[in-house]
């Protein structure tokens, strides 16, 4: 049976992390993910999740100064030491929280830097992060993101992912496959998934346009969920969508696919 985790940042973005965890549990979720947990002491997050009986599925590595426009550090020239420190902070939190996979967000193109220079920085940083995280039993993921919602983002396609993974040449580098992003950038969603299924460690869902819940747009999620079941996908499915309506109506789609 497919398992669904609430994305607290997308679904409950007006609430604090702790209040969003409580809301997700009240809405029937048994697991959650979020952008980052670093605004709260790790022990507080751990204990609140335990009290609620929630599994913490994953979070993003520190993304720099998000309010100032940063969207990740992995591909940003000149901030390599900050990137390495972010990996150590990630490990500290993940070990306390019992999280076994993290998403290392690539970041934005730097004005004046060529794409090959940006990719070289990303590869070097991932060559550091992949074995470091492997040593403590944490999967490292990267995620292609669509450039319409995040203008200037560097990593946008599965072709880029494949090339970067080959260059990093370490088994602890996985793909976070977001069907919403892939629909905008590439389409042909299940074929793209199948090409890389052996290195997909997590998937996320939202419909297009609007990034709302499945069933509100053009993506045939009935087909996608059947395909994931048929292929034996046993990871969590992150519900990274902004509800189009308030209350239980935004979660009614879950009734047709089941969850555990």
């Amino acid at each position: 049976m497919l398992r669904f985790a609430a994305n607290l940042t997308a679904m409950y973005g007006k609430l604090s992390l702790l209040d969003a965890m409580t809301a997700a549990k009240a809405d029937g979720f048994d697991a959650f993910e979020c952008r980052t947990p670093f605004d709260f002491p790790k022990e507080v997050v751990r204990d609140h999740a335990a009290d609620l009986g929630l599994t913490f599925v994953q979070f993003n590595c520190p993304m720099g100064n998000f309010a100032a426009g940063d969207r990740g550090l992995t591909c940003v020239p000149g901030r390599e030491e900050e990137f390495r420190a972010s990996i150590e902070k990630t490990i500290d939190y993940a070990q306390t929280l019992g999280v076994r996979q993290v998403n290392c967000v690539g970041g934005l193109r730097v004005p004046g830097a060529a794409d090959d220079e940006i990719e070289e920085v990303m590869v070097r940083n991932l060559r550091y992060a992949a074995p470091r995280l492997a040593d403590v039993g944490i999967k490292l993921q990267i995620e292609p993101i669509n450039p319409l919602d995040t203008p200037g983002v560097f990593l946008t396609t599965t072709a880029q992912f494949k090339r970067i993974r080959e260059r990093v040449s370490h088994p602890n580098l996985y793909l976070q496959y977001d069907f919403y992003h892939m629909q905008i950038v590439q389409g042909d969603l299940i074929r793209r998934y199948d090409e890389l299924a052996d290195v997909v460690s997590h998937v996320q869902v939202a419909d297009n346009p609007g990034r709302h819940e499945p069933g509100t747009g053009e993506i045939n999620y009935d087909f996608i969920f059947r395909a994931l079941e048929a292929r034996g996908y046993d990871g969590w499915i992150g519900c990274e969508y902004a509800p189009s309506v308030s209350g239980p109506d935004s979660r009614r789609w879950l009734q047709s696919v089941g969850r555990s």
Side-chain angles (χ1 to χ4, degrees):
M1 181 176 290
L2 298 178
R3 302 180 299 165
F4 294 88
N7 184 290
L8 303 186
T9 310
M11 296 184 68
Y12 308 98
K14 294 182 179 180
L15 301 178
S16 72
L17 175 61
L18 301 184
D19 289 343
M21 291 163 64
T22 301
K25 183 64 177 182
D27 285 340
F29 287 97
D30 296 320
F32 70 95
E33 61 185 29
C34 66
R35 180 183 293 154
T36 60
F38 304 117
D39 289 341
F40 286 85
K42 54 188 183 293
E43 295 84 3
V44 172
V45 180
R46 175 198 63 198
D47 293 347
H48 193 54
D51 290 344
L52 292 170
L54 286 172
T55 297
F56 198 162
V57 174
Q58 68 163 30
F59 58 85
N60 294 337
C61 302
M63 300 171 66
N65 188 337
F66 198 89
D70 286 339
R71 293 297 182 268
L73 300 170
T74 316
C75 73
V76 183
R79 298 178 72 174
E80 289 85 351
E81 289 304 314
E82 187 179 353
F83 173 83
R84 292 191 175 207
S86 79
I87 295 301
E88 299 310 310
K89 186 173 185 178
T90 294
I91 290 170
D92 182 39
Y93 264 73
Q95 289 185 311
T96 297
L97 296 170
V99 172
R100 290 291 170 260
Q101 61 183 21
V102 295
N103 182 31
C104 196
V105 183
L108 306 179
R109 287 181 167 85
V110 175
D115 279 3
D116 57 353
E117 177 188 356
I118 295 171
E119 182 174 305
E120 182 63 31
V121 171
M122 190 171 198
V123 168
R124 286 202 308 268
N125 281 334
L126 293 172
R127 283 176 179 164
Y128 170 83
R132 181 72 186 93
L133 289 164
D135 286 344
V136 292
I138 298 171
K139 288 183 176 180
L140 172 63
Q141 305 171 105
I142 57 176
E143 175 191 17
I145 294 174
N146 85 77
L148 298 181
D149 290 346
T150 308
V153 66
F154 177 67
L155 179 61
T156 61
T157 70
T158 54
Q160 278 180 290
F161 168 81
K162 287 193 289 186
R163 184 177 65 250
I164 289 168
R165 189 174 192 274
E166 289 171 0
R167 293 190 61 198
V168 172
S169 190
H170 193 283
N172 190 36
L173 183 57
Y174 294 87
L175 174 64
Q176 178 170 297
Y177 191 93
D178 187 310
F179 283 96
Y180 167 77
H181 289 309
M182 288 295 97
Q183 172 69 0
I184 293 173
V185 178
Q186 295 179 267
D188 205 6
L189 297 176
I190 292 301
R191 191 192 307 271
R192 302 290 185 188
Y193 173 88
D194 285 344
E195 289 173 351
L196 291 161
D198 59 336
V199 293
V200 172
S201 61
H202 187 62
V203 302
Q204 292 177 321
V205 296
D207 220 327
N208 183 59
R211 204 169 190 176
H212 299 310
E213 63 271 19
T216 58
E218 66 188 2
I219 301 177
N220 186 347
Y221 272 110
D222 287 340
F223 174 78
I224 286 171
F225 292 141
R226 289 197 304 271
L228 289 175
E229 284 189 304
R231 286 153 176 77
Y233 176 77
D234 60 359
W236 291 94
I237 297 174
C239 300
E240 193 180 20
Y241 65 80
S244 64
V245 293
S246 60
D249 284 347
S250 73
R251 300 180 298 279
R252 214 171 292 281
W253 64 273
L254 282 163
Q255 298 172 5
S256 65
V257 294
R259 54 180 161 163
S260 63

